[in-house]
């Protein structure tokens, strides 16, 4: 199947590579000439503009996947494609767009009979190898048409044990992707996913901060333990009820540097945590943990704990998020 891809950064480039490995035809565009030419050497067809990308796409209905930062750049790109594409063509937004923007865009594009699909995409920098978990919103006919793309990008059944009594449910979920509902539903599910991610990361961060502080001079001498955090992280990976991919990343970071000296602890939030808390307020749903984890990130920009260094290490490990410099202070950078 043929797919246009706009935005070839940390995830967009690997999405292209995974599709190429599966035998799909990709036509790509990025503002970086070097980036798009590198993918051309791997088998993609590189283009120098959105107009050229649409022109090169000769399989109809055309489908264009956007992997761009949420906000104005995606908004402008959707608007340009809305003028370039034809009725029945499909725009897929795979970034972390606010779901209400999806609802609005879908309505606007419907007037031109262009179909809009929102695809919450999780997998970070590891997606090329592991595959991507995808939460998809949009019209059923468009989502069904794109199934070969989603199937190729998804992790598949893998070696995860199957959930009992799932026979009556959609089998796509077991393979790593779902059609969550109408326009906006995919990004809404991904938004809550990222809000939960905030809470999980904060729990690990606080737990390891407590472990590390057990050697504090403020405690009685006979109650102090000098604990080996890399060993604790590793043993928890082996059969523990709190094992997870996030813990895997934390264990790797601690094994490399138990003090996490390469991280300042200045932790950014990328929007989805705030949006999740806003949705909880709109729905009158208590979200104590998710709200507290968001506020902890705000606090991290004023004072830094060991736990916040671990948060930075986790963000770098799964998403390639390098620490932003502190205001008026470049601070230590995360290791690459």
């Amino acid at each position: 199947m043929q797919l246009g891809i706009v935005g070839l950064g940390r995830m967009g480039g690997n999405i292209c590579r995974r599709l190429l490995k599966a035998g799909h035809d990709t036509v790509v565009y990025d503002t970086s000439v070097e980036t798009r030419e590198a993918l051309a050497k791997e088998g993609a067809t590189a283009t120098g503009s959105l107009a050229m990308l649409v022109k090169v796409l000769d399989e109809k209905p055309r489908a264009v996947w956007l992997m761009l930062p949420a906000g104005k750049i995606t908004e402008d790109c959707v608007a340009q494609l809305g003028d370039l594409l034809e009725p029945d063509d499909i725009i897929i937004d795979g970034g972390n767009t606010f779901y209400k923007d999806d609802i609005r865009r879908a309505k606007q594009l419907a007037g031109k009979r262009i179909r809009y699909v929102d695809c919450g995409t999780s997998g970070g920098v590891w997606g090329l190898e592991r595959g991507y978990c995808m939460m998809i919103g949009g019209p059923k006919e468009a989502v069904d048409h794109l199934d070969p793309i989603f199937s190729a990008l998804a992790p598949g059944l893998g070696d995860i044990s199957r959930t009992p009594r799932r026979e009556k449910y959609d089998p796509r979920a077991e393979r790593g992707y779902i059609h969550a509902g109408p326009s906006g539903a995919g990004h809404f599910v991904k938004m809550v996913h990222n809000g939960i991610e905030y809470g999980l990361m904060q729990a690990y961060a606080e737990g390891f901060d407590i472990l590390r502080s057990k050697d504090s001079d403020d405690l009685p001498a006979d109650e102090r333990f000098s604990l080996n955090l890399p060993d604790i992280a590793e043993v928890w990976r082996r059969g523990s009820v709190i094992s997870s991919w996030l813990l895997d990343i934390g264990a790797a970071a601690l094994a490399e540097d138990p003090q996490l000296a390469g991280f300042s602890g200045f932790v950014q939030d990328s929007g989805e945590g705030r949006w999740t808390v806003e949705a909880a307020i709109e729905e009158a749903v208590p979200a104590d943990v998710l709200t507290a984890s968001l506020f902890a990130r705000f606090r991290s920009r004023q004072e830094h704990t060991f736990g916040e260094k671990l948060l930075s290490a986790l963000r770098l490990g799964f998403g390639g998020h390098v620490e932003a410099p502190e205001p008026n202070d470049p601070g230590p950078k995360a290791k690459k």
Side-chain angles (χ1 to χ4, degrees):
M1 186 172 182
Q2 188 181 58
L3 181 71
I5 303 175
V6 179
L8 306 172
R10 285 190 302 260
M11 290 182 67
N14 281 345
I15 283 173
C16 177
R17 291 182 180 95
R18 190 168 173 91
L19 289 174
L20 288 171
K21 286 185 176 183
H24 293 284
D25 176 17
T26 61
V27 181
V28 301
Y29 169 67
D30 191 278
T31 54
S32 167
V33 177
E34 181 181 353
T35 299
R36 64 190 191 232
E37 287 184 349
L39 278 168
K41 292 177 181 177
E42 298 181 43
T45 301
T47 61
S49 68
L50 286 178
M52 186 181 297
L53 178 140
V54 171
K55 186 176 181 180
V56 171
L57 290 170
D58 55 12
E59 184 179 301
K60 296 188 177 182
R62 301 179 186 89
V64 182
W65 182 301
L66 308 184
M67 207 66 196
L68 300 167
K72 187 176 186 303
I73 185 171
T74 297
E75 193 73 40
D76 292 347
C77 193
V78 170
Q80 290 178 57
L81 286 171
D83 292 333
L84 293 167
L85 294 172
E86 299 175 350
D88 292 333
D89 288 344
I90 306 169
I91 297 173
I92 309 122
D93 181 1
N96 282 325
T97 289
F98 185 44
Y99 76 98
K100 292 184 180 180
D101 290 334
D102 292 315
I103 296 170
R104 171 179 52 79
R105 290 176 192 161
K107 290 177 180 177
Q108 291 171 343
L109 290 167
K112 301 180 179 182
R113 291 177 50 209
I114 294 172
R115 297 174 288 177
Y116 181 89
V117 171
D118 53 289
C119 181
T121 311
S122 181
V125 296
W126 298 92
L128 176 59
E129 176 186 345
R130 294 168 58 106
Y132 298 91
C133 172
M134 291 166 290
M135 298 137 270
I136 306 157
K140 181 180 185 302
E141 296 78 7
V143 174
D144 288 348
H145 175 76
L146 294 166
D147 192 75
I149 295 296
F150 298 133
S151 180
L153 291 174
L157 285 172
D159 57 1
I160 298 174
S161 59
R162 303 186 75 169
T163 302
R165 296 177 294 279
R166 265 206 57 89
E167 294 78 11
K168 62 183 178 180
Y169 295 101
D170 189 337
R172 292 176 293 184
E174 287 188 305
R175 304 203 304 271
Y177 63 108
I178 59 168
H179 183 195
S183 297
H187 276 147
F188 184 81
V189 175
K190 176 58 163 51
M191 177 191 78
V192 177
H193 161 285
N194 283 26
I196 292 170
E197 175 189 294
Y198 278 39
L200 291 172
M201 291 170 67
Q202 187 64 31
Y204 283 125
E206 292 177 9
F208 278 94
D209 213 355
I210 294 167
L211 292 169
R212 182 174 182 268
S213 298
K214 190 58 176 170
D215 199 23
S216 169
D217 291 340
D218 295 332
L219 296 173
D222 62 351
E223 294 182 12
R224 296 179 203 163
F225 304 144
S226 182
L227 300 169
N228 186 309
L229 300 192
D231 281 357
I232 292 170
E234 187 62 31
V235 77
W236 283 352
R237 294 181 63 221
R238 311 289 173 171
S240 163
V241 72
I242 62 167
S243 60
S244 73
W245 182 25
L246 284 172
L247 183 58
D248 294 346
I249 293 167
L254 288 166
E256 181 178 354
D257 176 9
Q259 301 304 317
L260 301 178
F263 298 89
S264 72
F266 184 96
V267 186
Q268 286 285 13
D269 67 287
S270 52
E272 300 88 345
R274 297 188 190 210
W275 298 337
T276 303
V277 171
E278 290 170 2
I281 293 169
E282 289 177 357
E283 299 165 19
V285 173
D288 308 58
V289 171
L290 306 192
T291 304
S293 66
L294 174 64
F295 289 168
R297 294 195 178 195
F298 298 162
R299 187 204 62 230
S300 79
R301 297 162 206 172
Q302 300 171 357
E303 54 179 302
H304 311 312
T305 67
F306 181 80
E308 282 148 4
K309 291 185 178 185
L310 184 60
L311 280 178
S312 285
L314 294 177
R315 294 184 83 239
L316 177 65
F318 73 78
H321 302 290
V322 178
E323 280 186 338
E326 299 179 43
N328 304 317
D329 178 6
K333 293 285 187 178
K335 295 179 181 177
K336 293 187 178 180

